[in-house]
Amino acid sequence: MVHGTGLTLALDILTAIGLGAACGLRPFTPALVAGALAAANVTIDFDNTAYSFLEAPGWLLAVAIALVVTMLAARFVPEYAIWVAGLVMGGLLGAGTLEDHHHSPAIGWVLGVLCAVLAAAASRDLFRRVRTRLDAQAAGALPLYAEGASLVVAVVAVLLPPLSIAAVVFLAWLLRGGRRRSGEKYAGLRVLR
């Protein structure tokens, strides 16, 4: 039984980091995915926890409305608002995932928020670099790509939790690569002076 509890904790942690990373990419799609899967009791279930609202129809409707509003009014929604929403959603989903099997939700909050920060930073850097190379119409589609990526990461986090590690490692690699390229660009400018 102890082995099963340790395995459950490990899988819950992996799910929490994957959902946190997905929320850092875009906040609302992972909340819808996790809530819908939890409502269907597919590997996660927020019932009988302090986070049971995450699978409630009213919450899911509110999240769906927020998703539609942020997609339709993307130019008018400040980037920091999406970033903050990602941190909050990552923390909530991480905490709910851990509390589902009676583990400390604090672990989920910390891991969810940290992975959301990593994903938000990595995706922000990537999309800024890509946006400069695209025309206005193509650049306008970048939020759709971010939504698609967050959908895939959220589904994988819930259905195949060990693959969450791959998502987090990839995001860390993207962030490191973006920072290195930025440093090389500025180093080149210093040499020109």
Side-chain angles (χ1 to χ4, degrees):
M1 188 69 175
V2 172
H3 176 68
T5 301
L7 179 61
T8 302
L9 176 59
L11 290 174
D12 287 347
I13 286 172
L14 291 169
T15 300
I17 67 171
L19 287 173
C23 288
L25 295 171
R26 293 297 284 185
F28 303 117
T29 299
L32 285 174
V33 167
L37 291 173
N41 298 327
V42 178
T43 73
I44 59 173
D45 182 15
F46 301 127
D47 282 337
N48 303 315
T49 72
Y51 301 92
S52 60
F53 69 90
L54 291 172
E55 63 181 72
W59 169 260
L60 294 176
L61 178 61
V63 171
I65 290 169
L67 171 65
V68 170
V69 167
T70 57
M71 291 301 294
L72 293 177
R75 285 188 284 159
F76 305 108
V77 178
E79 185 179 335
Y80 71 85
I82 298 295
W83 190 78
V84 169
L87 297 182
V88 171
M89 291 295 188
L92 285 171
L93 294 176
T97 299
L98 270 289
E99 194 168 303
D100 176 25
H101 293 113
H102 312 290
H103 303 296
S104 171
I107 298 168
W109 269 103
V110 170
L111 293 174
V113 169
L114 287 176
C115 289
V117 168
L118 169 67
S123 63
R124 184 191 70 223
D125 284 357
L126 174 66
F127 288 133
R128 281 186 181 161
R129 288 192 314 268
V130 170
R131 188 174 284 117
T132 62
R133 297 181 179 128
L134 299 175
D135 60 46
Q137 185 177 3
L142 287 176
L144 292 175
Y145 290 114
E147 293 293 347
S150 71
L151 171 70
V152 170
V153 173
V155 168
V156 165
V158 174
L159 300 180
L160 301 165
L163 292 182
S164 294
I165 292 291
V168 171
V169 167
F170 178 71
L171 289 165
W173 176 79
L174 273 179
L175 182 61
R176 183 172 180 265
R179 299 283 161 99
R180 188 181 66 240
R181 276 188 225 102
S182 178
E184 289 170 359
K185 179 175 83 173
Y186 292 121
L189 291 175
R190 283 192 294 269
V191 168
L192 292 175
R193 286 193 298 167

